[in-house]
Amino acid sequence: MEKAYRYRVYPTAEQEQILRRTIGCVRLVFNKALAARTEAWYERQEKVDYVQSSAMLTQWKRLEDLQFLNEVSCVPLQQGLRHLQTAFTNFFAGRAKYPNFKKKRSGGSAEFTKSAFRWKNGQVYLAKCSQPLPIKWSRQLPKGCEPSTITVRLEPSGRWFVSLLLNDPADETLHSGDSAVGLDVGVSSLVSLSTGEKIANPKVFDKHYQKLRKAQKSLSRKQKGSRNRDKARLKVARIQAKISDARIDHTHKLTTRLIRENQTIVVEDLAVKNMVKNPKLARAISDAAWGELVRQLDYKALWYGRNLVKIDRWFPSSKRCGNCGHIVDKLPLNIREWDCPNCGTHHDRDINAAKNILAVGHTVAVCGASVRPDNHSVKGQLRKTRKGKKQKPKL
Ligand SMILES: [Zn+2]
């Protein structure tokens, strides 16, 4: 199974110079190729593919004012063109927006395939670098594994990371059991479990947000192009990195725990991108990092031999009584607890939803069908959520 191991790197001054130059060249080549492809399409209705853009790169390297492209390893430049090709494929398939130009201030990365690095005595020697990369080995690589691809990334906060992609033959399947859990992702708490447990977002985020707001305000007052603006931008990036570290750490701990404890996990297949468009919910949802949570559950389930069941996101999990199946007409977001008008059961909104999700998950796992109850009008559901309905990007 292919896995990526990510580590912090502290490059030497010489290495940092080489890597910064490489990343700069990757960005330049990517942007030039993107501009060429855009122009070819809009002015001559011609499609440029990877092979053609690769031939362009060869031309550029011969130009007088682009001689510096020959000073860095050519592999990351080619890989950059491959990434551009993937971006276009995703765009034409309707999965993504039109590719954007890369910006210097958002950092960047360089991908080295096998021909551009050496792996010796557990050390990484990148092309054009004489010394091994000073990687902080925060965890061990699986025994006998060699990386097939190495990606060096510079974050906007100025931190360096390296990602080692390797094929891990070890089987990590956990003992299978029969425990199952339903998850309701929410705004007031990050997730509610069908077992009745609620997991909140760490409160420490609020403190970080106040700092972030202050730093962003300060940045907005700095003159464009000034040295002070760069400093202020770095400050903002550092706080953002801190927030994202804390969030990722929290999500990892939660998903690992859920995977270890349960054979089957049922979640709603939410369209996070659409929900973030709702301005009232945007921060809370991004904060909770729902998409990331499901993504982690997805690959960890695969690693450890667990089942992740995704159910139809139009299933009325909140409005359905978990006891008798009665569906109420309305249940505004501010109502956290309610009584079923049919059987009188008292419900916690999120826990009830999680229980419903688990119940549906069992049905899906058995018959493999997408579940949409008969007595629930699909039209009514769509009308209520019209704002978030559009899924395909406009072409
Ligand atoms: Zn009921």
PDB file of all heavy atoms in Angstrom, residues 317-353:
ATOM      1  N   SER A 317     -31.633  12.886   8.583  1.00  0.00           N
ATOM      2  CA  SER A 317     -31.158  12.271   9.820  1.00  0.00           C
ATOM      3  C   SER A 317     -31.573  13.047  11.062  1.00  0.00           C
ATOM      4  O   SER A 317     -31.862  12.465  12.101  1.00  0.00           O
ATOM      5  CB  SER A 317     -29.641  12.123   9.766  1.00  0.00           C
ATOM      6  OG  SER A 317     -29.035  13.366   9.500  1.00  0.00           O
ATOM      7  N   SER A 318     -31.625  14.383  10.954  1.00  0.00           N
ATOM      8  CA  SER A 318     -31.962  15.177  12.137  1.00  0.00           C
ATOM      9  C   SER A 318     -33.449  15.143  12.439  1.00  0.00           C
ATOM     10  O   SER A 318     -33.866  15.100  13.591  1.00  0.00           O
ATOM     11  CB  SER A 318     -31.537  16.632  11.930  1.00  0.00           C
ATOM     12  OG  SER A 318     -30.161  16.698  11.774  1.00  0.00           O
ATOM     13  N   LYS A 319     -34.261  15.164  11.362  1.00  0.00           N
ATOM     14  CA  LYS A 319     -35.703  15.357  11.549  1.00  0.00           C
ATOM     15  C   LYS A 319     -36.469  14.066  11.792  1.00  0.00           C
ATOM     16  O   LYS A 319     -37.675  14.087  11.974  1.00  0.00           O
ATOM     17  CB  LYS A 319     -36.279  16.072  10.320  1.00  0.00           C
ATOM     18  CG  LYS A 319     -35.882  17.529  10.276  1.00  0.00           C
ATOM     19  CD  LYS A 319     -36.523  18.234   9.126  1.00  0.00           C
ATOM     20  CE  LYS A 319     -35.651  18.160   7.909  1.00  0.00           C
ATOM     21  NZ  LYS A 319     -36.192  18.910   6.780  1.00  0.00           N
ATOM     22  N   ARG A 320     -35.749  12.944  11.780  1.00  0.00           N
ATOM     23  CA  ARG A 320     -36.424  11.668  11.939  1.00  0.00           C
ATOM     24  C   ARG A 320     -36.269  11.199  13.378  1.00  0.00           C
ATOM     25  O   ARG A 320     -35.187  11.253  13.949  1.00  0.00           O
ATOM     26  CB  ARG A 320     -35.784  10.655  10.984  1.00  0.00           C
ATOM     27  CG  ARG A 320     -36.433   9.310  10.998  1.00  0.00           C
ATOM     28  CD  ARG A 320     -35.694   8.410  10.020  1.00  0.00           C
ATOM     29  NE  ARG A 320     -36.220   7.054  10.055  1.00  0.00           N
ATOM     30  CZ  ARG A 320     -35.817   6.137  10.902  1.00  0.00           C
ATOM     31  NH1 ARG A 320     -34.902   6.423  11.800  1.00  0.00           N
ATOM     32  NH2 ARG A 320     -36.338   4.927  10.865  1.00  0.00           N
ATOM     33  N   CYS A 321     -37.390  10.736  13.963  1.00  0.00           N
ATOM     34  CA  CYS A 321     -37.327  10.208  15.323  1.00  0.00           C
ATOM     35  C   CYS A 321     -36.684   8.821  15.265  1.00  0.00           C
ATOM     36  O   CYS A 321     -37.145   7.946  14.539  1.00  0.00           O
ATOM     37  CB  CYS A 321     -38.727  10.126  15.917  1.00  0.00           C
ATOM     38  SG  CYS A 321     -38.794   9.124  17.411  1.00  0.00           S
ATOM     39  N   GLY A 322     -35.630   8.645  16.023  1.00  0.00           N
ATOM     40  CA  GLY A 322     -34.900   7.377  15.998  1.00  0.00           C
ATOM     41  C   GLY A 322     -35.675   6.251  16.654  1.00  0.00           C
ATOM     42  O   GLY A 322     -35.367   5.072  16.483  1.00  0.00           O
ATOM     43  N   ASN A 323     -36.708   6.600  17.404  1.00  0.00           N
ATOM     44  CA  ASN A 323     -37.483   5.598  18.127  1.00  0.00           C
ATOM     45  C   ASN A 323     -38.617   5.022  17.283  1.00  0.00           C
ATOM     46  O   ASN A 323     -38.773   3.815  17.175  1.00  0.00           O
ATOM     47  CB  ASN A 323     -38.015   6.227  19.415  1.00  0.00           C
ATOM     48  CG  ASN A 323     -38.669   5.202  20.306  1.00  0.00           C
ATOM     49  OD1 ASN A 323     -38.206   4.070  20.380  1.00  0.00           O
ATOM     50  ND2 ASN A 323     -39.751   5.595  20.954  1.00  0.00           N
ATOM     51  N   CYS A 324     -39.412   5.934  16.634  1.00  0.00           N
ATOM     52  CA  CYS A 324     -40.574   5.436  15.898  1.00  0.00           C
ATOM     53  C   CYS A 324     -40.522   5.736  14.405  1.00  0.00           C
ATOM     54  O   CYS A 324     -41.349   5.268  13.639  1.00  0.00           O
ATOM     55  CB  CYS A 324     -41.866   6.027  16.486  1.00  0.00           C
ATOM     56  SG  CYS A 324     -42.036   7.790  16.194  1.00  0.00           S
ATOM     57  N   GLY A 325     -39.575   6.522  13.955  1.00  0.00           N
ATOM     58  CA  GLY A 325     -39.455   6.775  12.520  1.00  0.00           C
ATOM     59  C   GLY A 325     -40.264   7.957  12.023  1.00  0.00           C
ATOM     60  O   GLY A 325     -40.266   8.252  10.833  1.00  0.00           O
ATOM     61  N   HIS A 326     -40.942   8.646  12.931  1.00  0.00           N
ATOM     62  CA  HIS A 326     -41.721   9.817  12.545  1.00  0.00           C
ATOM     63  C   HIS A 326     -40.782  10.930  12.063  1.00  0.00           C
ATOM     64  O   HIS A 326     -39.731  11.155  12.643  1.00  0.00           O
ATOM     65  CB  HIS A 326     -42.535  10.305  13.749  1.00  0.00           C
ATOM     66  CG  HIS A 326     -43.364  11.516  13.465  1.00  0.00           C
ATOM     67  ND1 HIS A 326     -44.552  11.452  12.771  1.00  0.00           N
ATOM     68  CD2 HIS A 326     -43.158  12.814  13.767  1.00  0.00           C
ATOM     69  CE1 HIS A 326     -45.044  12.682  12.667  1.00  0.00           C
ATOM     70  NE2 HIS A 326     -44.219  13.517  13.266  1.00  0.00           N
ATOM     71  N   ILE A 327     -41.193  11.617  10.974  1.00  0.00           N
ATOM     72  CA  ILE A 327     -40.359  12.707  10.472  1.00  0.00           C
ATOM     73  C   ILE A 327     -41.070  14.028  10.699  1.00  0.00           C
ATOM     74  O   ILE A 327     -42.198  14.225  10.223  1.00  0.00           O
ATOM     75  CB  ILE A 327     -40.042  12.513   8.972  1.00  0.00           C
ATOM     76  CG1 ILE A 327     -39.161  11.263   8.800  1.00  0.00           C
ATOM     77  CG2 ILE A 327     -39.321  13.726   8.404  1.00  0.00           C
ATOM     78  CD1 ILE A 327     -38.915  10.875   7.365  1.00  0.00           C
ATOM     79  N   VAL A 328     -40.458  14.925  11.447  1.00  0.00           N
ATOM     80  CA  VAL A 328     -41.081  16.221  11.704  1.00  0.00           C
ATOM     81  C   VAL A 328     -40.843  17.142  10.505  1.00  0.00           C
ATOM     82  O   VAL A 328     -39.874  16.986   9.764  1.00  0.00           O
ATOM     83  CB  VAL A 328     -40.547  16.880  13.000  1.00  0.00           C
ATOM     84  CG1 VAL A 328     -40.972  16.096  14.215  1.00  0.00           C
ATOM     85  CG2 VAL A 328     -39.038  17.031  12.956  1.00  0.00           C
ATOM     86  N   ASP A 329     -41.769  18.124  10.339  1.00  0.00           N
ATOM     87  CA  ASP A 329     -41.666  19.003   9.172  1.00  0.00           C
ATOM     88  C   ASP A 329     -40.474  19.939   9.262  1.00  0.00           C
ATOM     89  O   ASP A 329     -39.737  20.135   8.312  1.00  0.00           O
ATOM     90  CB  ASP A 329     -42.941  19.843   9.031  1.00  0.00           C
ATOM     91  CG  ASP A 329     -44.106  18.974   8.607  1.00  0.00           C
ATOM     92  OD1 ASP A 329     -43.833  17.905   8.018  1.00  0.00           O
ATOM     93  OD2 ASP A 329     -45.259  19.339   8.881  1.00  0.00           O
ATOM     94  N   LYS A 330     -40.350  20.541  10.444  1.00  0.00           N
ATOM     95  CA  LYS A 330     -39.319  21.567  10.586  1.00  0.00           C
ATOM     96  C   LYS A 330     -38.500  21.312  11.842  1.00  0.00           C
ATOM     97  O   LYS A 330     -39.032  20.905  12.872  1.00  0.00           O
ATOM     98  CB  LYS A 330     -39.982  22.949  10.729  1.00  0.00           C
ATOM     99  CG  LYS A 330     -40.176  23.666   9.429  1.00  0.00           C
ATOM    100  CD  LYS A 330     -40.728  25.045   9.734  1.00  0.00           C
ATOM    101  CE  LYS A 330     -41.345  25.655   8.481  1.00  0.00           C
ATOM    102  NZ  LYS A 330     -42.216  26.778   8.812  1.00  0.00           N
ATOM    103  N   LEU A 331     -37.221  21.586  11.749  1.00  0.00           N
ATOM    104  CA  LEU A 331     -36.372  21.518  12.928  1.00  0.00           C
ATOM    105  C   LEU A 331     -35.242  22.528  12.741  1.00  0.00           C
ATOM    106  O   LEU A 331     -34.175  22.198  12.259  1.00  0.00           O
ATOM    107  CB  LEU A 331     -35.809  20.097  13.094  1.00  0.00           C
ATOM    108  CG  LEU A 331     -35.229  19.753  14.459  1.00  0.00           C
ATOM    109  CD1 LEU A 331     -36.289  19.796  15.543  1.00  0.00           C
ATOM    110  CD2 LEU A 331     -34.586  18.383  14.436  1.00  0.00           C
ATOM    111  N   PRO A 332     -35.545  23.816  13.087  1.00  0.00           N
ATOM    112  CA  PRO A 332     -34.524  24.851  12.862  1.00  0.00           C
ATOM    113  C   PRO A 332     -33.224  24.527  13.596  1.00  0.00           C
ATOM    114  O   PRO A 332     -33.231  23.822  14.600  1.00  0.00           O
ATOM    115  CB  PRO A 332     -35.163  26.112  13.441  1.00  0.00           C
ATOM    116  CG  PRO A 332     -36.609  25.812  13.557  1.00  0.00           C
ATOM    117  CD  PRO A 332     -36.742  24.340  13.732  1.00  0.00           C
ATOM    118  N   LEU A 333     -32.134  25.102  13.082  1.00  0.00           N
ATOM    119  CA  LEU A 333     -30.799  24.786  13.615  1.00  0.00           C
ATOM    120  C   LEU A 333     -30.637  25.141  15.090  1.00  0.00           C
ATOM    121  O   LEU A 333     -29.818  24.554  15.782  1.00  0.00           O
ATOM    122  CB  LEU A 333     -29.737  25.539  12.809  1.00  0.00           C
ATOM    123  CG  LEU A 333     -29.076  24.758  11.664  1.00  0.00           C
ATOM    124  CD1 LEU A 333     -28.148  25.646  10.887  1.00  0.00           C
ATOM    125  CD2 LEU A 333     -28.335  23.535  12.189  1.00  0.00           C
ATOM    126  N   ASN A 334     -31.423  26.146  15.558  1.00  0.00           N
ATOM    127  CA  ASN A 334     -31.219  26.575  16.946  1.00  0.00           C
ATOM    128  C   ASN A 334     -31.882  25.645  17.962  1.00  0.00           C
ATOM    129  O   ASN A 334     -31.672  25.785  19.152  1.00  0.00           O
ATOM    130  CB  ASN A 334     -31.679  28.025  17.137  1.00  0.00           C
ATOM    131  CG  ASN A 334     -33.139  28.205  16.763  1.00  0.00           C
ATOM    132  OD1 ASN A 334     -33.789  27.252  16.301  1.00  0.00           O
ATOM    133  ND2 ASN A 334     -33.659  29.389  16.954  1.00  0.00           N
ATOM    134  N   ILE A 335     -32.693  24.709  17.475  1.00  0.00           N
ATOM    135  CA  ILE A 335     -33.318  23.763  18.413  1.00  0.00           C
ATOM    136  C   ILE A 335     -32.381  22.585  18.617  1.00  0.00           C
ATOM    137  O   ILE A 335     -32.103  21.821  17.693  1.00  0.00           O
ATOM    138  CB  ILE A 335     -34.692  23.306  17.892  1.00  0.00           C
ATOM    139  CG1 ILE A 335     -35.625  24.517  17.886  1.00  0.00           C
ATOM    140  CG2 ILE A 335     -35.253  22.185  18.751  1.00  0.00           C
ATOM    141  CD1 ILE A 335     -37.004  24.226  17.396  1.00  0.00           C
ATOM    142  N   ARG A 336     -31.846  22.478  19.825  1.00  0.00           N
ATOM    143  CA  ARG A 336     -30.847  21.443  20.102  1.00  0.00           C
ATOM    144  C   ARG A 336     -31.481  20.176  20.684  1.00  0.00           C
ATOM    145  O   ARG A 336     -30.902  19.113  20.633  1.00  0.00           O
ATOM    146  CB  ARG A 336     -29.768  21.956  21.058  1.00  0.00           C
ATOM    147  CG  ARG A 336     -29.131  23.280  20.691  1.00  0.00           C
ATOM    148  CD  ARG A 336     -28.621  23.385  19.281  1.00  0.00           C
ATOM    149  NE  ARG A 336     -27.812  22.270  18.839  1.00  0.00           N
ATOM    150  CZ  ARG A 336     -27.427  22.083  17.598  1.00  0.00           C
ATOM    151  NH1 ARG A 336     -27.834  22.917  16.654  1.00  0.00           N
ATOM    152  NH2 ARG A 336     -26.688  21.057  17.273  1.00  0.00           N
ATOM    153  N   GLU A 337     -32.672  20.340  21.297  1.00  0.00           N
ATOM    154  CA  GLU A 337     -33.353  19.176  21.873  1.00  0.00           C
ATOM    155  C   GLU A 337     -34.832  19.247  21.517  1.00  0.00           C
ATOM    156  O   GLU A 337     -35.391  20.335  21.430  1.00  0.00           O
ATOM    157  CB  GLU A 337     -33.205  19.183  23.410  1.00  0.00           C
ATOM    158  CG  GLU A 337     -31.811  18.817  23.868  1.00  0.00           C
ATOM    159  CD  GLU A 337     -31.645  18.936  25.381  1.00  0.00           C
ATOM    160  OE1 GLU A 337     -32.645  18.708  26.100  1.00  0.00           O
ATOM    161  OE2 GLU A 337     -30.529  19.256  25.819  1.00  0.00           O
ATOM    162  N   TRP A 338     -35.467  18.099  21.316  1.00  0.00           N
ATOM    163  CA  TRP A 338     -36.877  18.120  20.947  1.00  0.00           C
ATOM    164  C   TRP A 338     -37.585  16.842  21.393  1.00  0.00           C
ATOM    165  O   TRP A 338     -36.937  15.830  21.676  1.00  0.00           O
ATOM    166  CB  TRP A 338     -37.044  18.339  19.445  1.00  0.00           C
ATOM    167  CG  TRP A 338     -36.324  17.350  18.560  1.00  0.00           C
ATOM    168  CD1 TRP A 338     -34.988  17.278  18.344  1.00  0.00           C
ATOM    169  CD2 TRP A 338     -36.895  16.303  17.797  1.00  0.00           C
ATOM    170  NE1 TRP A 338     -34.692  16.255  17.490  1.00  0.00           N
ATOM    171  CE2 TRP A 338     -35.842  15.636  17.128  1.00  0.00           C
ATOM    172  CE3 TRP A 338     -38.208  15.849  17.590  1.00  0.00           C
ATOM    173  CZ2 TRP A 338     -36.053  14.544  16.280  1.00  0.00           C
ATOM    174  CZ3 TRP A 338     -38.408  14.760  16.733  1.00  0.00           C
ATOM    175  CH2 TRP A 338     -37.340  14.122  16.095  1.00  0.00           C
ATOM    176  N   ASP A 339     -38.941  16.924  21.442  1.00  0.00           N
ATOM    177  CA  ASP A 339     -39.752  15.759  21.784  1.00  0.00           C
ATOM    178  C   ASP A 339     -40.486  15.303  20.544  1.00  0.00           C
ATOM    179  O   ASP A 339     -41.038  16.113  19.810  1.00  0.00           O
ATOM    180  CB  ASP A 339     -40.764  16.129  22.879  1.00  0.00           C
ATOM    181  CG  ASP A 339     -40.054  16.415  24.189  1.00  0.00           C
ATOM    182  OD1 ASP A 339     -39.255  15.548  24.613  1.00  0.00           O
ATOM    183  OD2 ASP A 339     -40.263  17.497  24.764  1.00  0.00           O
ATOM    184  N   CYS A 340     -40.509  14.001  20.329  1.00  0.00           N
ATOM    185  CA  CYS A 340     -41.215  13.474  19.162  1.00  0.00           C
ATOM    186  C   CYS A 340     -42.724  13.626  19.378  1.00  0.00           C
ATOM    187  O   CYS A 340     -43.247  13.180  20.394  1.00  0.00           O
ATOM    188  CB  CYS A 340     -40.863  12.007  18.959  1.00  0.00           C
ATOM    189  SG  CYS A 340     -41.846  11.223  17.687  1.00  0.00           S
ATOM    190  N   PRO A 341     -43.441  14.276  18.434  1.00  0.00           N
ATOM    191  CA  PRO A 341     -44.886  14.468  18.592  1.00  0.00           C
ATOM    192  C   PRO A 341     -45.658  13.158  18.483  1.00  0.00           C
ATOM    193  O   PRO A 341     -46.813  13.063  18.911  1.00  0.00           O
ATOM    194  CB  PRO A 341     -45.251  15.422  17.459  1.00  0.00           C
ATOM    195  CG  PRO A 341     -44.154  15.298  16.459  1.00  0.00           C
ATOM    196  CD  PRO A 341     -42.919  14.882  17.212  1.00  0.00           C
ATOM    197  N   ASN A 342     -45.054  12.149  17.937  1.00  0.00           N
ATOM    198  CA  ASN A 342     -45.737  10.869  17.726  1.00  0.00           C
ATOM    199  C   ASN A 342     -45.600   9.943  18.931  1.00  0.00           C
ATOM    200  O   ASN A 342     -46.590   9.461  19.462  1.00  0.00           O
ATOM    201  CB  ASN A 342     -45.185  10.212  16.464  1.00  0.00           C
ATOM    202  CG  ASN A 342     -46.034   9.052  16.006  1.00  0.00           C
ATOM    203  OD1 ASN A 342     -47.265   9.104  16.127  1.00  0.00           O
ATOM    204  ND2 ASN A 342     -45.404   8.022  15.507  1.00  0.00           N
ATOM    205  N   CYS A 343     -44.353   9.712  19.391  1.00  0.00           N
ATOM    206  CA  CYS A 343     -44.169   8.761  20.480  1.00  0.00           C
ATOM    207  C   CYS A 343     -43.688   9.414  21.775  1.00  0.00           C
ATOM    208  O   CYS A 343     -43.585   8.755  22.798  1.00  0.00           O
ATOM    209  CB  CYS A 343     -43.205   7.648  20.062  1.00  0.00           C
ATOM    210  SG  CYS A 343     -41.499   8.210  19.891  1.00  0.00           S
ATOM    211  N   GLY A 344     -43.377  10.725  21.710  1.00  0.00           N
ATOM    212  CA  GLY A 344     -43.033  11.431  22.929  1.00  0.00           C
ATOM    213  C   GLY A 344     -41.602  11.265  23.421  1.00  0.00           C
ATOM    214  O   GLY A 344     -41.262  11.749  24.502  1.00  0.00           O
ATOM    215  N   THR A 345     -40.761  10.603  22.654  1.00  0.00           N
ATOM    216  CA  THR A 345     -39.375  10.431  23.097  1.00  0.00           C
ATOM    217  C   THR A 345     -38.647  11.766  23.072  1.00  0.00           C
ATOM    218  O   THR A 345     -38.813  12.553  22.142  1.00  0.00           O
ATOM    219  CB  THR A 345     -38.635   9.440  22.165  1.00  0.00           C
ATOM    220  OG1 THR A 345     -39.479   8.326  21.937  1.00  0.00           O
ATOM    221  CG2 THR A 345     -37.313   8.999  22.765  1.00  0.00           C
ATOM    222  N   HIS A 346     -37.828  11.988  24.114  1.00  0.00           N
ATOM    223  CA  HIS A 346     -37.032  13.210  24.173  1.00  0.00           C
ATOM    224  C   HIS A 346     -35.705  12.963  23.462  1.00  0.00           C
ATOM    225  O   HIS A 346     -35.034  11.974  23.729  1.00  0.00           O
ATOM    226  CB  HIS A 346     -36.800  13.611  25.632  1.00  0.00           C
ATOM    227  CG  HIS A 346     -36.061  14.903  25.759  1.00  0.00           C
ATOM    228  ND1 HIS A 346     -36.645  16.116  25.506  1.00  0.00           N
ATOM    229  CD2 HIS A 346     -34.774  15.157  26.095  1.00  0.00           C
ATOM    230  CE1 HIS A 346     -35.747  17.077  25.683  1.00  0.00           C
ATOM    231  NE2 HIS A 346     -34.596  16.514  26.044  1.00  0.00           N
ATOM    232  N   HIS A 347     -35.360  13.857  22.517  1.00  0.00           N
ATOM    233  CA  HIS A 347     -34.131  13.654  21.743  1.00  0.00           C
ATOM    234  C   HIS A 347     -33.152  14.795  21.912  1.00  0.00           C
ATOM    235  O   HIS A 347     -33.531  15.955  21.946  1.00  0.00           O
ATOM    236  CB  HIS A 347     -34.459  13.582  20.242  1.00  0.00           C
ATOM    237  CG  HIS A 347     -35.189  12.354  19.841  1.00  0.00           C
ATOM    238  ND1 HIS A 347     -34.689  11.096  20.020  1.00  0.00           N
ATOM    239  CD2 HIS A 347     -36.410  12.182  19.260  1.00  0.00           C
ATOM    240  CE1 HIS A 347     -35.552  10.214  19.564  1.00  0.00           C
ATOM    241  NE2 HIS A 347     -36.610  10.846  19.109  1.00  0.00           N
ATOM    242  N   ASP A 348     -31.867  14.439  21.961  1.00  0.00           N
ATOM    243  CA  ASP A 348     -30.811  15.421  21.725  1.00  0.00           C
ATOM    244  C   ASP A 348     -30.649  15.437  20.213  1.00  0.00           C
ATOM    245  O   ASP A 348     -30.479  14.390  19.590  1.00  0.00           O
ATOM    246  CB  ASP A 348     -29.514  14.979  22.398  1.00  0.00           C
ATOM    247  CG  ASP A 348     -28.343  15.890  22.071  1.00  0.00           C
ATOM    248  OD1 ASP A 348     -27.868  15.873  20.913  1.00  0.00           O
ATOM    249  OD2 ASP A 348     -27.910  16.613  22.974  1.00  0.00           O
ATOM    250  N   ARG A 349     -30.692  16.607  19.623  1.00  0.00           N
ATOM    251  CA  ARG A 349     -30.699  16.718  18.166  1.00  0.00           C
ATOM    252  C   ARG A 349     -29.574  15.921  17.482  1.00  0.00           C
ATOM    253  O   ARG A 349     -29.808  15.117  16.584  1.00  0.00           O
ATOM    254  CB  ARG A 349     -30.570  18.202  17.796  1.00  0.00           C
ATOM    255  CG  ARG A 349     -30.614  18.450  16.328  1.00  0.00           C
ATOM    256  CD  ARG A 349     -30.007  19.798  16.010  1.00  0.00           C
ATOM    257  NE  ARG A 349     -30.022  19.966  14.562  1.00  0.00           N
ATOM    258  CZ  ARG A 349     -30.993  20.613  13.907  1.00  0.00           C
ATOM    259  NH1 ARG A 349     -31.988  21.149  14.565  1.00  0.00           N
ATOM    260  NH2 ARG A 349     -30.967  20.702  12.598  1.00  0.00           N
ATOM    261  N   ASP A 350     -28.328  16.152  17.942  1.00  0.00           N
ATOM    262  CA  ASP A 350     -27.179  15.554  17.258  1.00  0.00           C
ATOM    263  C   ASP A 350     -27.054  14.058  17.520  1.00  0.00           C
ATOM    264  O   ASP A 350     -26.735  13.279  16.624  1.00  0.00           O
ATOM    265  CB  ASP A 350     -25.885  16.260  17.675  1.00  0.00           C
ATOM    266  CG  ASP A 350     -25.915  17.741  17.314  1.00  0.00           C
ATOM    267  OD1 ASP A 350     -26.580  18.089  16.318  1.00  0.00           O
ATOM    268  OD2 ASP A 350     -25.289  18.545  18.030  1.00  0.00           O
ATOM    269  N   ILE A 351     -27.324  13.668  18.762  1.00  0.00           N
ATOM    270  CA  ILE A 351     -27.204  12.244  19.103  1.00  0.00           C
ATOM    271  C   ILE A 351     -28.263  11.442  18.335  1.00  0.00           C
ATOM    272  O   ILE A 351     -27.986  10.367  17.796  1.00  0.00           O
ATOM    273  CB  ILE A 351     -27.362  12.028  20.627  1.00  0.00           C
ATOM    274  CG1 ILE A 351     -26.331  12.853  21.406  1.00  0.00           C
ATOM    275  CG2 ILE A 351     -27.277  10.546  20.979  1.00  0.00           C
ATOM    276  CD1 ILE A 351     -24.910  12.382  21.331  1.00  0.00           C
ATOM    277  N   ASN A 352     -29.478  12.001  18.274  1.00  0.00           N
ATOM    278  CA  ASN A 352     -30.547  11.337  17.513  1.00  0.00           C
ATOM    279  C   ASN A 352     -30.139  11.170  16.056  1.00  0.00           C
ATOM    280  O   ASN A 352     -30.329  10.109  15.462  1.00  0.00           O
ATOM    281  CB  ASN A 352     -31.837  12.156  17.629  1.00  0.00           C
ATOM    282  CG  ASN A 352     -32.942  11.596  16.760  1.00  0.00           C
ATOM    283  OD1 ASN A 352     -33.307  10.437  16.880  1.00  0.00           O
ATOM    284  ND2 ASN A 352     -33.455  12.425  15.852  1.00  0.00           N
ATOM    285  N   ALA A 353     -29.534  12.240  15.505  1.00  0.00           N
ATOM    286  CA  ALA A 353     -29.095  12.179  14.100  1.00  0.00           C
ATOM    287  C   ALA A 353     -28.048  11.087  13.919  1.00  0.00           C
ATOM    288  O   ALA A 353     -28.106  10.301  12.972  1.00  0.00           O
ATOM    289  CB  ALA A 353     -28.538  13.531  13.675  1.00  0.00           C
TER     290      ALA A 353
END
